[in-house]
Amino acid sequence: MSDVFLPLLVAIPIVLSVVPLIAGLRYERAGWPIAFVGSITVTAIAGYVAVTIASSGRLIHALGNYPQPYGIELVGDELSALVALLIAIVSLAVLLYARTAGPRGNAFYSGYLLLTGGLFGVALTGDMFNLFVFLEITSLVTYALVASDRTSGKAAYAAFKYVFLGTVGASMYLLGVGYLYVATGTLNMRDLQEAIASVGYGDPIVQAAFGFILVGFAIKVALFPLHTWQPDAYTYAPDSVSAYISALVSTASAYALIRITYGVFTQSFLEANDLIVTAILVVASVSIVVGSLLALMQTEVKRMFAYSSVAQFGMIVAAIGLANETALFGAILHLLGHGLIKAGLFMAAGVLATAYGARTVTDYAGLSRRSPYAVGGMTLAGIALIGLPPSIGFLGKWFMALGAVEAGAWGVAAVIFASTMLTLAYVFRLVEMLYFRSPSAARTDESAAVEVPDASTDGVAAPDGGSIDRVTVAQVAIVVSIGITVIALGFSWELFADYLDPVLGRFFA
Amino acid sequence: MTDGSVLGLITTRYAYLVVVFVATVGLYMMIANQNLVKKLIGLNMFQTGIFLFFITSAYVVDGSSAIVPADGAGGPFASPLPQVIVLTAIVVGVSLTAVGLALIIRLYAEYGTLRADALREVIADE
């Protein structure tokens, strides 16, 4: 009977999302408590579902009791349970962070709940078209949240660009689903697995369907050269929103790509289509290298983290293309780890920006002395992003590189290694600034640099410079605990290996 | 299946040609037109092309709408599933248009222009 908790995970946040707006007519500050109650509830349910799946195997819930394969079903297996848990935990952390950091207003909390519900839907659905609907719910709310900073026209323009690219991506996915439906006559994922096998992996319609779906998700997870929406959206969105969407929105799309590649098309499809695998590996490798290089070239911290995501998702997609168990295990670990790491990094950047007006790398000079805890949390998350042991980032990269070597794809292994070096370069540039530079030394550097410092931002930063402004203990505590968590998870690979064993067994039967 | 000639393609598969035409025109309009509202219309047209593809796939020769009497008689029926899918997708498309237009209003209030090239210039100068 515990399968009824699956629809609750999706329904509770979506139903609750109307309440902040309605209650807001009467009580101005109603949004946060409502979102908090919803978030705590779904976190508890996600935890319970994850434990239940560990003991009694995957849960399947037929919505409305329609007979399969005609009705829509929600499927909770070990992989979706972990992703759901990540969504629940990061959502809760972001909510606690956003209480004082804003954006304020009940509309934000409505959007927040709707986004949470949509993300759970992506993680749990077992139907191809239903996945499209949840992806669009997620995207639409994301567009609105990115633009929720009312003082900045740049945010609105970033959201506008995102609307176009995101919708084209979703439409490509929809077209792929249409091709699959024409080829097989079904949309249920478990049913499609056999239907595609009987149509044949070499069938042009099936190949075209995979191609469209792949391009659609390449836009959604922001692979180079389809990443252009992402840096602007992450940079100009309010800090809480940046943390939330960088941690979860692309993650959910990458999860869906894993689910569709291995749960619907299966490993045999990849084995039968060398050209598609080569294309995935090439595009993903280019994305890794270019993303890392672009991250290295940025002066603005949030933009640097944004380009870093392009590289990390390139790695995950490359591991999907490698089509072996080790690489996919690494991809899943990195997917979960990257979500936590980026949430921590963007929140830390938010704390430093609120407190000291620091938004560029040079602004960060000497901040470790003024804000040791937030900077410590940021450094720990940075270490995990590089992939230094022990950290979750290390585990993910290690298993992906190991998988590349197992598959004989030395190029991919080399690219992962090179990207780690580049990540080391840009994260350590930040760490060096934070710990080993005094503010005055950096200031002379700045004036000596070719780039003329923007006078207007300098003027804003100076009055804020001395005092800590509107940063609460809770915000710093969240950053620090995420930093400690991503390091502590570095010891956990056996736990993940045991937990994910059944689902990897199904994917690589 | 008819012969693979161009004439055969036009006379028997014209619905798919229309689909491709509509979708391509929409995509081109979205990329090439500098007016933000027209870009949004182009995006809508691109999506409409895809919806038409679903509808075409549901077509059955002499098919009627799938209202099945109690005795199961009648038929052949046109496949109802793609039509339901398109209904849902249209709703998604309408929400998308609403969000897009809201953003256009915000951009116009902020920068006083509806042209993408002018907007890019203003933002680059900012």
Side-chain angles (χ1 to χ4, degrees), chain A residues 221-259:
Chain A
V221 304
L223 283 193
F224 179 85
L226 304 170
H227 69 285
T228 47
W229 59 267
Q230 188 250 35
D232 281 351
Y234 287 9
T235 310
Y236 299 127
D239 295 325
S240 316
V241 175
S242 295
Y244 198 29
I245 62 178
S246 68
L248 295 179
V249 173
S250 289
T251 305
S253 296
Y255 156 82
L257 182 61
I258 293 178
R259 165 76 56 204

Side-chain angles (χ1 to χ4, degrees), chain A residues 129 133 136 140 147 149-150 152-154 156-157 159-160 163-164 167-168 171 174-175 178-179 181-182 187, chain B residues 30 36 39 46-47 50 53-54 57 79 81-82 85 88 92 95-96 103-104 106-107 111 119-120 123 126:
Chain A
F129 181 72
V133 174
E136 280 299 73
L140 283 169
D149 182 358
R150 284 171 185 278
S152 154
K154 280 182 177 176
Y157 185 65
F160 191 69
V163 166
F164 281 95
T167 308
V168 171
S171 303
L174 184 61
L175 198 55
Y179 275 41
Y181 179 71
V182 170
L187 288 171
Chain B
M30 189 190 103
L36 297 184
K39 271 180 187 289
F46 173 58
Q47 287 194 307
I50 295 172
F53 170 71
F54 273 88
S57 75
S79 168
L81 183 62
I85 284 175
T88 315
V92 173
S95 334
L96 184 98
L103 285 172
I104 290 175
R106 270 276 284 130
L107 285 170
Y111 297 109
L119 205 58
R120 264 194 296 274
I123 287 178
E126 212 173 69

Side-chain angles (χ1 to χ4, degrees), chain A residues 470-497:
Chain A
R470 284 182 295 143
V471 170
T472 57
V473 180
Q475 287 174 355
V476 177
I478 289 164
V479 171
V480 171
S481 47
I482 287 180
I484 293 171
T485 309
V486 291
I487 298 293
L489 283 175
F491 298 101
S492 66
W493 77 271
E494 279 177 323
L495 202 72
F496 282 109

